């Protein structure tokens, strides 16, 4: 994958002698750790969002988008029904907690198992269809999942209102809208559990991607016929990619369930599946951190731009130009849609993350050559 | 666009097929006897719904067959047709008959902008890119619609002559529905004649089969691409006008109908216009008749659980799953197309 080759190139260029090989090799886990530690302080800054609670949601969506990218970016399958697995994760956990009063861990394990079975069965009958057919069939299954949740079989899923009451495990305490985890008398902020859980999910995905299994997926994406000629059973690999992706998405769903204190029907809509596609492509399907960046941009823009009222240039204290933007920015999706279309036209697999990497690399190269001249 | 004749296959009816058909006929007869008024209502409702779906699916199928692009923005064009009607009739005070002509033309112009601005760059690329780019366009058009006309549902007042009802004995049917049926049938017939019976249509079909060869022979494919895209957009816009005049419009209709139109195209078989028409009518009819059949069945057998509320919305997807699993290329799909 271009991700790896690009990093090797810049990595070798750095000062040799330091353990940069290891740093380079474990770039993704290190980056994930930095991400989960820095995200909340970053968005809490006064000139950004000014409050940290949205960081939980952003982290969970990052994991969801990264799980989706196992399909789109690594295997080359465009699923229009990925929300189904996020929804299964959230709904099954919520049902376990509220209807059967079981423990969170048990409910979550059942949720992951169910999502895995569903993904395996759906994958078996869909992955070998053409691109358009695969997209439409996953859409159909996603809509079916939405219908079932809305239909409220045996009073389990709660219909249009979803599951709201009693769906939070006992070790979660809520104080003035903020959640705390209370494990054996030891209390800490809910954010850190989300951070740890998302970190685990990202590392699992990274392990999948860099394993022989992940490399085979890339081979299938790049050249299906050649992969088959080399003796790879493309069908089986695709089915398992679909299954693993669904399980990780359901894992994100179980965390989201606590974060939202229940499961809502909107998780299962086509719009949720569409949002994750937009995030992934906008961020850059070619890179592991592409969808993560895409999820951040998307959710950050949602919060930041809808609260944005006036653009004052160059500084708030020195208003030379001030623009009333509240009316326009309420329709932020228009501008992100525009950005998305441009991204697809110029470099459909690069996205924001690819652009960022390119510019940093160019800058670095320029700095280095500048030093050499002196 | 079904230029290659499908060799006629003689089939004998299998026992399982016979049972399915028998049950369907039985259910139809039963429903027609138990509630004749509702039955006729649902049949006409399904016909109108199915024909609107066909109007959208036609453009989708043309663009897919000719340009190899899955146009996700097609539903937004359909929605624009409805909102243009609102703008023309309620804001500018133009009569419905003018809007019926002008709104599709306006949508066609938007189509030109999309084709020249975006899709032109995506021909001969991975079909996923076309799907993604038009997905973004659909998002933009949806947000623009919300910004201009607001998020609340809108409706227009249909002209006097269409707002009256037509008495059928067991039930009454509003004339706008019959008008929709008539217009849709005329448009579908016209598109069929254009593609199958004119020199223009012949050159378009040649382009579908082998674009390079057609260009060697002196056919200007670019002009044909644009005109077919505009035609598809305008037909979707016309569908929007008819739907908007009959039941009103909202921002969600773009997504709702594009997905259903995809389902219609996929069920009918990608690349087959005839298939799209059949699948549209099948899905329209099934969406309206299945709830009636189930409620009749529940009434006759007194098994209340059979009567599933809201099943009509799920039927298109179930039909698609069944059709694609049984016939992977759809009902009338051609071999090797976009696979």
């Amino acid at each position: 994958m271009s991700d790896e080759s690009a990093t090797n190139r810049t990595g070798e260029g750095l000062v040799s002698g330091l353990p940069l090989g290891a740093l380079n090799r474990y770039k993704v886990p290190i980056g994930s750790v930095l991400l989960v530690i820095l995200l909340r302080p970053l968005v809490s800054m006064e000139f950004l969002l000014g409050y940290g609670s949205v960081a939980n949601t952003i982290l969970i969506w990052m994991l969801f988008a990264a799980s989706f990218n196992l399909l789109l970016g690594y295997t080359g399958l465009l699923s229009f029904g990925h929300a189904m697995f996020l929804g299964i994760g959230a709904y099954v956990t919520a049902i376990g907690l509220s209807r059967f009063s079981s423990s969170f861990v048990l409910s979550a394990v059942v949720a992951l198992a169910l999502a895995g079975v569903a993904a395996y069965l759906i994958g078996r009958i869909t992955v070998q269809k053409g691109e358009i057919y695969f997209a439409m069939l996953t859409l159909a299954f996603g809509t079916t999942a939405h219908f079932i949740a809305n239909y409220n079989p045996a009073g389990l899923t709660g219909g249009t209102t979803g599951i709201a009451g009693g769906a939070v495990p006992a070790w979660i305490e809520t104080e003035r809208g903020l959640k705390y985890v209370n494990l054996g008398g030891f209390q800490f902020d809910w954010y850190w559990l989300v951070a740890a859980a998302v970190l685990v999910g990202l590392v699992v995905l990274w392990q999948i991607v860099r394993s022989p299994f992940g490399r085979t997926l890339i081979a299938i994406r790049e050249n299906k016929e050649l992969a088959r000629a080399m003796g790879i059973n493309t069908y089986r690999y695709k089915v398992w990619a679909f299954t693993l992706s669904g399980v990780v998405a359901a894992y994100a769903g179980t965390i989201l369930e606590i974060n939202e204190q229940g499961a809502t029907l909107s998780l299962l809509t086509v719009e949720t599946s569409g949002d994750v596609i937009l995030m992934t492509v906008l961020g850059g399907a070619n890179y592991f951190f592409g969808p993560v960046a895409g999820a951040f941009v998307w959710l950050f823009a949602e919060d930041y731009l809808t609260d944005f009222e006036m653009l004052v240039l160059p500084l708030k204290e020195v208003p030379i130009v001030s623009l009333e933007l509240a009316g326009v920015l309420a329709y932020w999706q228009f501008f992100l849609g525009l950005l998305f279309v441009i991204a697809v036209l110029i470099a459909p697999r690069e996205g924001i993350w690819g652009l960022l990497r390119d510019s940093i690399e160019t800058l670095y190269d320029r700095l280095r050559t500048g030093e050499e001249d002196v | 666009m079904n230029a290659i004749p499908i060799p006629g296959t003689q089939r004998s009816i299998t026992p399982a097929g016979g049972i399915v058909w028998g049950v369907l006929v039985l259910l139809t007869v039963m429903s027609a006897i138990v509630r004749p008024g509702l039955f006729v209502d649902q049949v006409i409702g399904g016909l109108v719904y199915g024909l609107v779906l066909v109007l959208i699916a036609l453009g989708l199928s043309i663009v897919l067959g000719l340009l190899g692009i899955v146009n996700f923005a097609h539903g937004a064009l359909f929605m624009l047709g409805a909102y243009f009607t609102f703008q023309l009739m309620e804001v500018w005070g133009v009569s419905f008959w003018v809007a019926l002509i002008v709104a599709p033309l306006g949508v066609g112009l938007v189509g030109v902008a999309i084709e020249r601005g975006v899709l032109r760059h995506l021909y001969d690329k991975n079909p996923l890119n076309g799907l993604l780019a038009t997905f973004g366009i659909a998002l933009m058009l949806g947000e623009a619609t919300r910004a201009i006309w607001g998020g609340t549902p809108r409706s227009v007042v249909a002209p006097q002559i269409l707002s009256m009802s037509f008495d059928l004995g067991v039930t009454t049917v509003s004339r706008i529905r019959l008008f929709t049926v008539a217009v849709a049938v005329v448009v579908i017939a016209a598109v069929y004649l254009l593609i199958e019976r004119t020199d223009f249509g012949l050159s378009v079909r040649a382009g579908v089969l082998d674009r390079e060869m057609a260009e060697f022979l002196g056919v200007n494919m670019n002009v044909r691409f644009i005109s077919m895209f505009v035609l598809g957009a305008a037909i979707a816009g016309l569908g929007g006008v008819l739907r908007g005049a009959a039941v009103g419009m909202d921002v969600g209709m773009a997504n709702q109908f594009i997905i259903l139109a995809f389902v219609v195209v996929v069920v009918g078989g990608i690349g087959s216009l005839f298939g799209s028409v059949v699948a549209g009518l099948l899905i329209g009819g099934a969406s309206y008749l299945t709830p009636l059949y189930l409620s009749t069945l529940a009434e006759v057998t007194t098994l209340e659980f059979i009567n599933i509320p809201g099943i009509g919305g799920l039927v298109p997807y179930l039909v698609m799953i069944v059709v694609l699993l049984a016939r992977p290329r759809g009902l009338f799909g051609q071999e090797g197309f976009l696979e």
Side-chain angles (χ1 to χ4, degrees):
Chain A
M1 203 192 61
S2 53
D3 197 357
E4 205 63 15
S5 59
T7 53
N8 283 342
R9 202 154 22 88
T10 49
E12 304 307 329
L14 285 166
V15 194
S16 53
L18 289 169
L20 280 173
L23 184 70
N24 214 13
R25 193 166 169 199
Y26 295 103
K27 184 172 49 103
V28 167
I30 293 168
S32 307
V33 169
L34 288 178
L35 170 79
V36 299
I37 291 176
L38 292 179
L39 184 70
R40 192 163 70 156
L42 186 72
V43 297
S44 308
M45 281 182 192
E46 194 54 44
F47 61 93
L48 293 177
L49 293 181
Y51 62 102
S53 56
V54 73
N56 299 335
T57 320
I58 294 181
L59 273 185
I60 298 166
W61 271 86
M62 283 173 169
L63 179 61
F64 179 45
S67 82
F68 177 74
N69 202 35
L70 187 63
L71 284 183
L72 181 61
Y74 289 91
T75 323
L77 292 169
L78 175 61
S79 158
F80 262 91
H82 213 58
M84 167 172 47
F85 301 114
L86 186 77
I88 289 178
Y91 263 98
V92 175
T93 314
I95 289 170
L97 285 168
S98 65
R99 309 282 195 260
F100 299 103
S101 334
S102 72
S103 76
F104 171 76
V105 175
L106 180 67
S107 316
V109 167
V110 172
L112 296 197
L114 275 179
V117 170
Y120 179 77
L121 294 177
I122 293 173
R124 276 195 69 122
I125 54 178
T126 56
V127 292
Q128 213 56 346
K129 312 277 182 200
E131 280 132 354
I132 309 304
Y133 292 104
F134 177 76
M136 286 304 110
L137 276 171
T138 45
L139 178 74
F141 281 108
T143 312
T144 312
H146 179 267
F147 175 83
I148 293 171
N150 191 22
Y151 176 58
N152 195 9
L156 279 177
T157 56
T160 46
T161 50
I163 300 169
V168 179
W171 39 268
I172 292 281
E173 287 172 4
T174 310
E175 239 174 79
R176 282 173 306 209
L178 294 174
K179 281 193 273 303
Y180 296 94
V181 179
N182 196 344
L183 281 174
F186 183 65
Q187 197 188 35
F188 56 94
D189 198 304
W190 160 239
Y191 176 79
W192 297 112
L193 189 65
V194 174
V198 169
L199 185 63
V200 169
L202 286 176
V203 170
V204 165
L205 277 176
W206 174 68
Q207 285 288 3
I208 293 172
V209 165
R210 71 176 194 143
S211 68
F213 175 80
R215 300 282 136 175
T216 312
L217 293 184
I218 295 165
I220 293 171
R221 181 196 75 199
E222 288 301 317
N223 194 335
K224 201 163 44 183
E225 285 74 26
L226 182 59
R228 202 177 294 143
M230 289 168 74
I232 296 170
N233 187 342
T234 57
Y235 172 68
R236 264 180 57 195
Y237 274 91
K238 281 182 182 174
V239 169
W240 281 107
F242 192 75
T243 311
L244 287 172
S245 171
V247 170
V248 179
Y251 174 66
T254 60
I255 313 167
L256 194 62
E257 192 271 334
I258 300 185
N259 197 51
E260 303 203 335
Q261 307 181 12
T264 51
L265 196 59
S266 66
L267 286 183
L268 285 166
T269 53
V270 184
E271 281 74 20
T272 310
S273 299
D275 281 354
V276 78
I277 296 172
L278 290 164
M279 287 173 188
T280 306
V281 175
L282 197 63
N286 239 354
Y287 304 99
F288 186 86
F289 280 120
V292 172
F296 177 76
V297 169
W298 188 262
L299 294 170
F300 182 77
E302 182 172 16
D303 260 34
Y304 186 68
L305 295 182
T306 39
D307 292 344
F308 208 92
E309 277 175 1
M310 196 161 301
L311 180 70
V312 186
L313 292 171
L315 278 170
K316 207 169 262 175
E317 289 74 25
V318 202
I320 295 173
V321 190
S322 66
L323 290 168
E324 181 69 52
L325 285 179
V328 181
L329 287 180
Y331 304 101
W332 59 278
Q333 287 200 349
F334 180 87
F335 300 101
L336 278 190
L338 186 64
L339 203 62
F340 178 84
V341 173
I342 293 170
V344 172
L345 284 181
I346 296 172
R349 301 191 58 82
E350 292 296 311
I352 292 172
W353 190 251
L355 205 69
L356 201 69
R357 288 175 64 113
D358 270 6
S359 46
I360 289 174
E361 251 170 56
T362 321
L363 196 69
Y364 174 77
D365 282 351
R366 200 169 289 168
L367 281 176
R368 208 176 43 151
T369 48
E371 275 166 12
E372 276 167 5
D373 287 345
V374 175
Chain B
M1 219 160 297
N2 197 7
I4 310 161
I6 301 167
T9 44
Q10 282 294 324
R11 280 200 211 168
S12 52
I13 297 172
T14 56
I19 291 169
V20 170
W21 280 111
V23 169
L24 278 180
V25 170
L26 184 71
L27 279 171
T28 311
V29 172
M30 211 156 71
S31 306
I33 292 169
V34 175
R35 295 195 207 124
L38 193 58
F39 179 74
V40 175
D41 262 356
Q42 294 297 83
V43 167
I44 290 172
L47 186 66
V48 172
Y49 191 64
L51 283 171
V52 169
L53 283 179
V54 171
L55 287 184
I56 307 171
L58 273 186
L60 207 58
S61 193
I62 290 172
V63 174
L64 188 57
L66 198 55
L67 312 178
I69 284 180
V70 182
N71 184 11
F72 213 99
H74 212 68
L77 294 173
F78 165 74
M79 179 180 69
L80 277 185
Y83 274 96
F84 281 177
T85 315
F86 175 79
Q87 181 73 15
L88 286 163
M89 288 177 67
E90 302 297 313
V91 181
W92 293 340
V94 185
S95 92
F96 173 75
W97 307 105
V98 177
L100 190 66
I101 306 295
V102 174
L105 290 179
V107 175
L109 283 180
V110 177
V112 175
I114 294 175
E115 204 275 343
R116 287 289 92 184
V118 179
L119 296 189
R120 185 162 60 100
H121 307 289
L122 292 169
Y123 298 153
D124 308 322
K125 298 264 176 69
N126 186 344
L128 284 189
N129 290 353
L131 183 59
L132 289 171
T134 51
F135 189 58
I137 296 173
L139 185 74
M140 288 168 67
L141 288 179
E143 281 289 284
T145 306
R146 197 193 305 273
I148 298 170
W149 290 287
T152 48
R154 303 275 188 180
S155 60
V156 293
V157 182
Q160 190 66 38
I161 192 162
L162 292 180
S163 56
M164 287 183 296
S165 287
F166 194 78
D167 199 359
L168 281 182
V170 283
T171 181
T172 56
V173 185
S174 69
R175 283 193 186 172
I176 185 100
R177 293 180 136 192
L178 297 180
F179 181 70
T180 304
V181 172
V183 172
V185 168
V186 168
V187 168
I188 292 165
V191 168
Y192 172 78
L193 290 177
L194 175 73
I195 287 178
E196 296 288 331
R197 291 279 185 273
T198 64
D199 284 351
F200 177 81
L202 188 66
S203 61
V204 166
R205 278 186 285 143
V208 171
L209 284 176
D210 190 339
R211 179 179 164 195
E212 213 170 22
M213 196 63 211
E215 278 176 337
F216 280 148
L217 295 173
V219 178
N220 186 346
M221 283 321 289
N222 265 337
V223 171
R224 280 160 182 76
F225 282 177
I226 301 173
S227 41
M228 289 313 280
F229 191 86
V230 170
L231 181 70
I235 294 173
L238 181 69
V241 176
L242 294 170
R243 175 84 184 172
V247 290
M249 61 213 77
D250 60 82
V251 220
M253 71 196 278
N255 264 344
Q256 184 198 344
F257 275 85
I258 190 61
I259 292 168
L260 287 172
F262 273 136
V263 170
V264 166
V265 171
V266 166
V267 167
I270 290 177
S272 162
L273 287 189
F274 177 67
S276 293
V277 175
V278 172
L281 292 176
L282 172 73
I283 283 176
S287 304
Y288 272 73
L289 286 177
T290 310
L292 178 69
Y293 285 177
L294 289 180
S295 71
T296 314
L297 204 59
E299 202 172 289
V300 172
T301 57
T302 67
L303 295 169
E304 209 28 63
F305 70 90
I306 298 176
N307 188 9
I308 304 167
I311 187 77
L314 188 63
V315 165
Y317 304 101
L318 296 181
V319 169
M320 177 165 84
I321 292 173
V322 169
V323 166
L324 279 192
L325 293 181
R327 288 181 69 90
R329 292 193 185 96
L331 294 177
F332 300 94
Q334 293 162 16
E335 192 175 339
F337 201 84
L338 277 175
E339 283 178 11

